[in-house]
Amino acid sequence: MKNYIKRGLIALGLSAVSMASQAQVAVIMGPSAAPVSKDQLANIYLGRSFDLKPVDLPEASPLREQFYKKATDRDQSQIKATWSRIVFTGKGQAPIILPDAAAVKKAVISDPKAIGYIDKGAVDGSVKVVFSLD
């Protein structure tokens, strides 16, 4: 009986650690931007809409993987295949990849058409959160 309790507590602890590692993702734009919907966000980052210029974090970023899963319901390999097809057919350009949250903030501040995502904890008054992925 005690082993079952220990296993349950271990499983519960692992679940809590897993949930704690999930950051809150803030989709950001310049200070005067209007909010976007999840559908608009998915269309922008899947190359279906070119109204805004998507900005990405590096492929190795855990936040990037989390963003795409929550915003588009797709994993990294599916996203890569989607953008490869779009670029190959000449229908668009893949998102610009920037090294970190500071670079993403700088990009969205300097271009009113740019949209990016960062950890909610890195948001400051220089940018506007246009959508949150929790």
Side-chain angles (χ1 to χ4, degrees), residues 5-6 20-21 30 34 40 51 55 60 64-65 74 76 82 93 112 115 118 120 122 128:
I5 294 171
K6 283 182 185 177
S21 68
Q40 289 172 307
D51 295 337
V55 177
R64 177 178 168 147
E65 184 175 338
R74 290 183 168 79
Q76 291 291 329
T82 297
Q93 294 293 319
I115 184 169
I118 59 175
K120 206 171 217 172
K128 182 175 183 180

Side-chain angles (χ1 to χ4, degrees), residues 36-87:
V36 297
S37 70
K38 186 176 179 188
D39 286 341
Q40 289 172 307
L41 186 61
N43 287 336
I44 292 163
Y45 276 90
L46 291 172
R48 297 178 188 151
S49 169
F50 297 99
D51 295 337
L52 297 173
K53 299 174 190 173
V55 177
D56 245 337
L57 290 172
E59 283 186 40
S61 169
L63 192 64
R64 177 178 168 147
E65 184 175 338
Q66 185 179 341
F67 167 77
Y68 276 105
K69 200 63 163 164
K70 289 181 176 182
T72 68
D73 297 320
R74 290 183 168 79
D75 63 29
Q76 291 291 329
S77 62
Q78 292 170 310
I79 296 300
K80 198 172 196 173
T82 297
W83 280 107
S84 292
R85 185 178 64 255
I86 292 167
V87 171

Side-chain angles (χ1 to χ4, degrees), residues 73-134:
D73 297 320
R74 290 183 168 79
D75 63 29
Q76 291 291 329
S77 62
Q78 292 170 310
I79 296 300
K80 198 172 196 173
T82 297
W83 280 107
S84 292
R85 185 178 64 255
I86 292 167
V87 171
F88 181 75
T89 58
K91 293 182 179 176
Q93 294 293 319
I96 298 166
I97 298 173
L98 298 175
D100 55 30
V104 172
K105 285 194 287 189
K106 187 175 179 182
V108 301
I109 292 166
S110 64
D111 184 349
K113 292 282 193 178
I115 184 169
Y117 57 91
I118 59 175
D119 187 300
K120 206 171 217 172
V123 172
D124 59 28
S126 67
V127 295
K128 182 175 183 180
V129 176
V130 294
F131 195 82
S132 290
L133 296 163
D134 299 320

